[in-house]
Amino acid sequence: MKLNQKIKYSFSFCLFLIGGLVFAQQDSQYTQYMYNTINVNPAYAGSRGVTSIFLLHRTQWVGLDGAPVTNTASINKPIKDSNLGYGISFVNDRIGISDENTIAVDFSYSVKTSEEYKLSFGIKGAANLLSVDYTRLTIRHPDDVLLSQQANIDNRLSPNVGAGIYFHSDRNYVGLSVPNFLETKHYDDNVSSLASERMHFYLIAGTVFDLNETLKFKPALMTKMVQGAPLQVDLSANFLFNEKFFIGAAYRWSAALSAMVGFQVSDSWHIGYSYDAETTKLANYNSGSHEIFLRYELFNNYSKIVSPRFF
């Protein structure tokens, strides 16, 4: 029995979502990427010189059934009296009827190239666990052969490795990375074979300009390239007041406009929020995306702040 047009549309849309939006977004998407660098570049581990704990929650495309929800937790730190750093991160992505968990370990090695700059090299090892519950689909014809062949996926394991380089000072950075080298196919059957993870190439950059004694301008850039999808470019501009309060905006090329706000509560606590408004036809079906993060840093005697760390 063939699927009627409505069922075919619904089923295809679910696969489109659980495949990680295969021809657009596969890796988790972040608006405040400049504060969550370790998820895309392992060379960032330990670069802030302190133990840094980071939590983020993102609800994307609010109001659209099955839209992505992402939760991230990470910790990274330098190893005392060495050029090494390491980190551990956890990412949970819920998209449609899928639930995906990724646990990663990052290691970095830094070389001082001048009084201000370091060049860091990083490697990432990751384990991905994917679960898909097809019973959550609303099926109008349960006897359809195509749908009855779909078996649930329960914590299917996919290992991966990545690498990156990160050239940085306290006020500038540029990085290039591939978080996942292995192109993993999540689904084996004919219906959903389109859902395969491809290599993502990331280029990130940022700097700080002093506009006056109390105001700083922080532009940042992230570009993401993946085979079979248009080049994604994220541009952001933040204004930092008294090194405490920031407000800014971002533009995801041909996709979304964003507003950002945040506060450095103390030397240890930093909180930020962003809102994305779609600029595509998808805006007709959702009320935007929300993202909030919290960063906490532990300072030891050897890691007291000598100069502010802006990234």
Side-chain angles (χ1 to χ4, degrees):
M1 178 186 297
K2 291 185 178 181
L3 296 174
N4 64 36
Q5 192 65 28
K6 289 185 178 179
I7 296 177
K8 183 182 292 185
Y9 172 80
S10 299
F11 190 60
S12 298
F13 183 69
C14 286
L15 290 178
F16 175 73
L17 285 173
I18 63 180
L21 309 187
V22 175
F23 298 106
Q25 172 190 332
Q26 285 187 318
D27 286 0
S28 301
Q29 185 164 274
Y30 306 103
T31 298
Q32 298 168 105
Y33 53 86
M34 67 291 296
Y35 303 109
N36 191 33
T37 306
I38 196 166
N39 275 351
V40 300
N41 193 329
Y44 183 80
S47 65
R48 289 182 59 80
V50 298
T51 300
S52 185
I53 301 169
F54 187 88
L55 302 172
L56 179 144
H57 172 77
R58 178 178 177 85
T59 302
Q60 190 164 319
W61 303 334
V62 174
L64 181 65
D65 289 342
V69 176
T70 301
N71 290 289
T72 296
S74 67
I75 179 171
N76 74 92
K77 63 179 298 183
I79 298 177
K80 185 179 179 181
D81 298 327
S82 76
N83 295 322
L84 300 173
Y86 68 94
I88 300 172
S89 61
F90 171 79
V91 179
N92 172 257
D93 260 330
R94 299 194 306 273
I95 306 176
I97 60 173
S98 74
D99 195 325
E100 193 170 5
N101 295 298
T102 301
I103 302 172
V105 178
D106 302 290
F107 293 97
S108 69
Y109 179 80
S110 298
V111 178
K112 195 169 184 178
T113 59
S114 69
E115 287 299 318
E116 296 182 354
Y117 285 90
K118 291 182 179 180
L119 180 62
S120 301
F121 304 87
I123 57 173
K124 179 188 292 285
N128 178 275
L129 296 171
L130 174 69
S131 296
V132 181
D133 185 0
Y134 288 101
T135 63
R136 291 167 54 193
L137 290 173
T138 300
I139 303 173
R140 297 185 182 181
H141 292 268
D143 59 337
D144 192 283
V145 176
L146 182 61
L147 296 178
S148 64
Q149 292 176 345
Q150 300 303 310
N152 288 346
I153 299 173
D154 186 21
N155 287 325
R156 179 178 293 175
L157 175 65
S158 301
N160 221 312
V161 293
I165 56 174
Y166 186 64
F167 184 61
H168 59 101
S169 68
D170 289 338
R171 303 175 65 90
N172 308 281
Y173 72 88
V174 61
L176 181 65
S177 61
V178 180
N180 298 301
F181 280 112
L182 305 181
E183 299 188 350
T184 305
K185 290 186 177 181
H186 285 310
Y187 307 100
D188 301 324
D189 53 82
N190 293 329
V191 175
S192 47
S193 60
L194 78 165
S196 59
E197 296 283 351
R198 298 184 182 275
M199 278 197 298
H200 289 60
F201 296 85
Y202 287 87
L203 173 66
I204 57 174
T207 189
V208 179
F209 295 103
D210 292 320
L211 300 183
N212 57 45
E213 291 183 359
T214 60
L215 180 62
K216 291 178 170 57
F217 176 55
K218 294 174 54 182
L221 162 75
M222 181 177 75
T223 62
K224 183 195 302 184
M225 184 175 67
V226 57
Q227 182 183 359
L231 179 70
Q232 179 178 308
V233 180
D234 287 55
L235 301 169
S236 69
N238 281 311
F239 291 91
L240 180 65
F241 299 86
N242 294 315
E243 297 183 7
K244 292 291 185 181
F245 174 76
F246 76 83
I247 188 170
Y251 176 59
R252 185 168 299 116
W253 199 268
S254 300
L257 286 169
S258 307
M260 297 180 287
V261 64
F263 191 66
Q264 186 76 43
V265 181
S266 67
D267 285 345
S268 293
W269 292 98
H270 186 193
I271 188 170
Y273 167 79
S274 68
Y275 172 79
D276 299 357
E278 287 292 312
T279 59
T280 66
K281 292 182 180 179
L282 197 59
N284 298 325
Y285 307 98
N286 74 91
S287 57
S289 305
H290 302 271
E291 185 178 287
I292 187 169
F293 78 82
L294 179 66
R295 184 172 66 196
Y296 177 72
E297 296 185 315
L298 300 171
F299 297 95
N300 299 311
N301 291 332
Y302 69 89
S303 62
K304 288 181 179 178
I305 292 180
V306 177
S307 60
R309 294 172 174 85
F310 295 106
F311 302 101

